[in-house]
Every structure is written in C-alpha cells, then in structure tokens.
Amino acid sequence: MMDKKHYQTKTTLGDLCLFYGFPGVAILAVSLIVSAKIGAEFNGDRMIKAGTFIGCNMLLWLFYYTVFISLPGNLFDCLQTPQKGNGTVEAASVCASEEDDAPELVEPSVDTEPEPELKPEPQIQPQASPLPSKPIIPFDYRQICLEYEQRQAEEKAELVECIIGYAGHTMSPFVSEENIVSLCNEIRCWCLNPEYKPSNIALRVKLSTNDLCHFVWNIGERLGRDNGYDGECRANFTKRLFALTLSKVDVPTLRNMTKTASSDKIPLDRPLPGSLAFRCHTAENSVGQQLESA
C-alpha cells in the first residue's frame, strides 16, 4: 500500500511538472523578455515593466490552458461519445438475442372450472347539446362600433371647425388676408396630426411671445394632452409656425405657455369643465355664455 501511494504521488508530481512546471518556466522567461523590451522603450519605467510582465504572463497562461489542456480534452470527449453509444447498442442487442434463445418455460395446466362471464352493464352517455355556429349576442356588435366611430368622427369634425373659427377670428387683426388662409390650413393639419410640421406664417402686426404661446396653448388644450398635444408638441408647433418672429426664442422657453403679462393681446382661454368651447373673441361663444348664465 505504501509503495502504491508513493507511486501515485510521484506520478502526480511528475504530471504537475510536465503540464505546469516546464511551461511555467518558459512563460516566465518570455514575460521577462517582453517586459524588459517594452520597459526599455519607456526609459525603464517600473510600472510599465510590471504591468507588461503581468499582462503577458496572464495571456500566455490563458493561451496555454486553452490550446494544450482544454481543447484536447474536449476533442477526446467528442471522439469517445459515439463509441460509447455504439457499445451500449451492441450490448443491448446481445442481451436481446440471448433472451430470444432462452427456452420458454411452459406452466403446467391446472384443471379449473371456468368462471361465469360477467356482462358489463350498458353505460348511458349524456348526449352533448349541439353548439351554435355563432355566439348568441342580444345586440349588434358591429353596428354599435360603427355608430361609436361615426359619433367620434363627428365630434372631432365639430371641434376642428370650432378651432378654425377661433384661429381666424383671433389672428385676423395680426395676419394679412392671404396668410390667414394659410394659417387656418396649418392649424387644420395640426388638428389631424400632432406631429405635423407647419410652414412659417408672417405677421402683419407684431405680437409678443406670450401672445403666440397663448394662441397655440388655447388650441392644444382643446385637442388634449392624452391625444399627443402635450407641452413639447405645442412648443415645437409654435416655434415652426412663427419661425421668423420667434427666431431668437428657443423651444424650452416656449414650453412655459401660461405665462401672462398686462400687455398681452391674446389672453389664455381655459376650457370650462365638460366643455371645449372657446370663451373669448367670438360672438357665438359670448352668446353661448349668456345662455349658460341664464
């Protein structure tokens, strides 16, 4: 037993020297040579020599382990796997052939009285009720959806026309007759698509930044933040719609649209709860306010 253990210890030490000792000396020598050469290029800097030595040592050990230890082991396992599978199949076939060649054991016959056969009782299966080809719905689903979509389209069309009327009535004193048509068209396109990029509209009368922000804010508030007309969308639209007038104003400044001053020509028009109508600058709305107050 002692000799066997001593032999195993010697074998283990020999394997360690073979796989790690001699390669380690070679890797150490190469690392020292590389670090000395690179350190000489940097005037013998110790930090560079130490870093080069450690990095070169780690790379060489990784290369050695991958190429000479890990890769051969994986290849050996791949080559041995199909052989093991074939051996298992052959062993199974040999066992099967031996079982076929084995003599069959015949059990002795015993005279027994035949047992009376029991007739199974007929089972009554419940008859499945036929399923209807279409689900029974006490209402017309498609008709309800169609009516809802039509109602939404009509409400959106009414809102757009109300916004166009507000835009034309509010901006007519400050925009020429030709540009007011273009302004209303740009507003209409923005109502249908919040990402629409308008063209520049020139003003006939100078307006302040607050006035232009109030004008776009009043429209965007009716269109709704949940529909994409948030503060960022309104500021970008204002910057592009009045690009010449607001050339020196950036978009972050335009986000503060509710800022007011005593010299404002276009006031804020906050919609009342449950209503999207404009409450200023239009005769129709003033009449509507009188009827509501009455």
Side-chain angles (χ1 to χ4, degrees):
M1 294 293 292
M2 293 295 294
D3 294 339
K4 187 176 181 180
K5 291 182 179 179
H6 180 67
Y7 174 76
Q8 292 178 354
T9 304
K10 290 177 64 178
T11 303
T12 304
L13 292 176
D15 293 340
L16 291 176
C17 292
L18 179 61
F19 287 103
Y20 297 102
F22 296 113
V25 174
I27 291 172
L28 181 63
V30 173
S31 300
L32 288 173
I33 294 172
V34 173
S35 62
K37 288 185 176 182
I38 296 178
E41 295 179 359
F42 291 90
N43 298 326
D45 193 346
R46 294 183 178 179
M47 292 295 293
I48 294 177
K49 291 175 66 177
T52 305
F53 175 77
I54 295 173
C56 182
N57 205 345
M58 293 177 65
L59 289 175
L60 290 175
W61 273 113
L62 179 62
F63 175 78
Y64 171 74
Y65 178 80
T66 303
V67 175
F68 294 99
I69 297 179
S70 178
L71 184 60
N74 293 333
L75 293 176
F76 182 76
D77 293 340
C78 293
L79 294 175
Q80 290 295 326
T81 301
Q83 295 178 2
K84 293 181 180 179
N86 295 334
T88 305
V89 174
E90 292 177 358
S93 63
V94 171
C95 293
S97 63
E98 291 178 355
E99 291 179 357
D100 294 338
D101 296 339
E104 296 181 356
L105 298 178
V106 180
E107 296 181 356
S109 60
V110 180
D111 296 335
T112 55
E113 295 181 357
E115 295 180 358
E117 297 181 356
L118 298 177
K119 296 182 179 180
E121 297 181 357
Q123 297 180 356
I124 301 174
Q125 297 181 354
Q127 296 181 355
S129 58
L131 297 176
S133 58
K134 294 183 179 180
I136 300 174
I137 302 177
F139 51 84
D140 193 341
Y141 173 80
R142 296 182 179 179
Q143 182 65 25
I144 292 176
C145 293
L146 181 60
E147 292 177 356
Y148 175 78
E149 293 176 358
Q150 291 178 352
R151 186 165 59 253
Q152 292 291 323
E154 292 175 358
E155 292 178 358
K156 182 62 178 293
E158 293 178 359
L159 177 60
V160 171
E161 293 302 324
C162 183
I163 290 174
I164 297 302
Y166 165 77
H169 192 280
T170 302
M171 297 300 294
S172 291
F174 314 111
V175 180
S176 64
E177 185 176 359
E178 297 178 356
N179 289 336
I180 195 65
V181 177
S182 301
L183 175 65
C184 293
N185 290 332
E186 300 294 341
I187 295 295
R188 185 184 299 275
C189 293
W190 189 52
C191 292
L192 301 178
N193 181 14
E195 298 180 359
Y196 175 73
K197 297 180 180 180
S199 302
N200 176 60
I201 300 298
L203 299 178
R204 182 170 59 87
V205 178
K206 184 178 180 180
L207 290 175
S208 65
T209 302
N210 288 350
D211 293 328
L212 301 178
C213 289
H214 294 170
F215 171 70
V216 177
W217 186 91
N218 294 339
I219 296 174
E221 196 69 12
R222 269 73 181 178
L223 295 174
R225 296 178 180 270
D226 296 337
N227 298 326
Y229 298 89
D230 53 5
E232 185 72 17
C233 176
R234 301 176 192 180
N236 290 327
F237 182 75
T238 306
K239 177 68 175 178
R240 294 190 181 98
L241 187 63
F242 305 105
L244 185 62
T245 306
L246 301 176
S247 60
K248 298 181 180 180
V249 183
D250 54 1
V251 175
T253 303
L254 296 175
R255 292 176 186 172
N256 187 13
M257 291 190 164
T258 56
K259 183 180 179 181
T260 59
S262 58
S263 59
D264 293 342
K265 298 179 181 179
I266 301 177
L268 287 174
D269 190 355
R270 301 180 185 275
L272 294 174
S275 175
L276 298 177
F278 293 91
R279 297 180 291 116
C280 57
H281 295 296
T282 57
E284 294 84 355
N285 291 329
S286 61
V287 174
Q289 291 179 11
Q290 295 177 0
L291 294 177
E292 290 179 0
S293 61

